[in-house]
Amino acid sequence: MAIHPPEQRIWWQEPVARGEIVWITIAFLWGVLMFCVMIWWHFTGQQNLSNEAYRVDPATYAERAEAAAEEHTVREEGDTGIPVVRPPPGGDVYMYARLWEWWPVLELEQGQQYRLHLSSLDWQHGFSLQPVNMNLQVHPGYEMVLTLTPTEAGTYGVVCNEYCGVGHHTMVGRIYVVAPGQGD
Ligand code: CUA
């Protein structure tokens, strides 16, 4: 416990112990190796999403998402009447995060490729797709674009995994994946 000053006033000129040097070197080299391997993980292991990111004004993003929803809403759901949006296969899909919701609900067709756009209208949220466990940070001012092809039909939950205030735990969304020709 360092409650007294060091005996040698110029303590930093003392040699570092050999064991400590060895461990610092190993940790440093491991860090460098892991840094380089991050690129490799985009191609193998299915761990990193190869997404794109663009700067966007939150208001502009909201307008785009709402215009897309207006065009492709197939029904409304729940007490809040949240729209369920079914975009054309191969097209752009918009979802936004805000206190405290993921908007809108999406309905995608299995086996079709989509460009999923994600952004936040207020502050940082975390997009966590369950149960497949795909995770992305969602920031205001940045539009993340994922090219994805849903492979299995089902109901997927979106939970917020960045603490964002008192309503954080209620911030859940939904994505339906339906078999070709099914759904609305
Ligand atoms: Cu949004 Cu936590």
Side-chain angles (χ1 to χ4, degrees):
M1 294 272 274
I3 53 171
H4 300 291
E7 279 171 28
Q8 301 290 327
R9 203 173 61 83
I10 310 296
W11 55 268
W12 56 85
Q13 284 179 350
E14 287 178 32
V16 178
R18 218 178 99 89
E20 194 170 356
I21 288 283
V22 168
W23 280 115
I24 289 171
T25 307
I26 291 172
F28 177 76
L29 291 177
W30 183 252
V32 169
L33 176 72
M34 287 294 112
F35 179 78
C36 299
V37 166
M38 280 198 294
I39 299 159
W40 176 250
W41 280 326
H42 279 279
F43 304 102
T44 187
Q46 300 181 327
Q47 291 189 55
N48 284 15
L49 297 168
S50 299
N51 56 286
E52 302 154 44
Y54 305 95
R55 276 186 188 277
V56 70
D57 176 56
T60 310
Y61 185 81
E63 264 170 45
R64 265 187 238 159
E66 279 153 22
E70 201 163 309
E71 204 174 334
H72 302 295
T73 294
V74 288
R75 62 179 185 276
E76 289 177 349
E77 260 187 14
D79 301 338
T80 57
I82 188 169
V84 179
V85 176
R86 181 165 182 162
D92 292 291
V93 187
Y94 292 86
M95 184 183 261
Y96 61 59
R98 68 177 167 195
L99 302 172
W100 285 280
E101 65 172 346
W102 295 98
W103 190 96
V105 171
L106 301 173
E107 186 170 281
L108 308 178
E109 203 175 292
Q110 182 187 357
Q112 297 286 349
Q113 185 176 283
Y114 296 91
R115 303 240 321 143
L116 174 63
H117 299 243
L118 288 167
S119 190
S120 167
L121 303 191
D122 37 49
W123 58 58
Q124 179 175 243
H125 300 279
F127 175 92
S128 182
L129 187 68
Q130 299 298 332
V132 289
N133 202 23
M134 264 173 60
N135 296 284
L136 273 168
Q137 289 189 327
V138 181
H139 300 269
Y142 286 94
E143 182 172 355
M144 312 292 279
V145 188
L146 283 171
T147 304
L148 58 86
T149 306
T151 52
E152 273 181 50
T155 301
Y156 297 84
V158 179
V159 298
C160 181
N161 65 1
E162 292 284 355
Y163 182 70
C164 56
V166 292
H168 163 71
H169 63 289
T170 67
M171 189 166 165
V172 288
R174 190 172 287 179
I175 297 178
Y176 295 111
V177 175
V178 298
Q182 300 290 301
D184 276 304

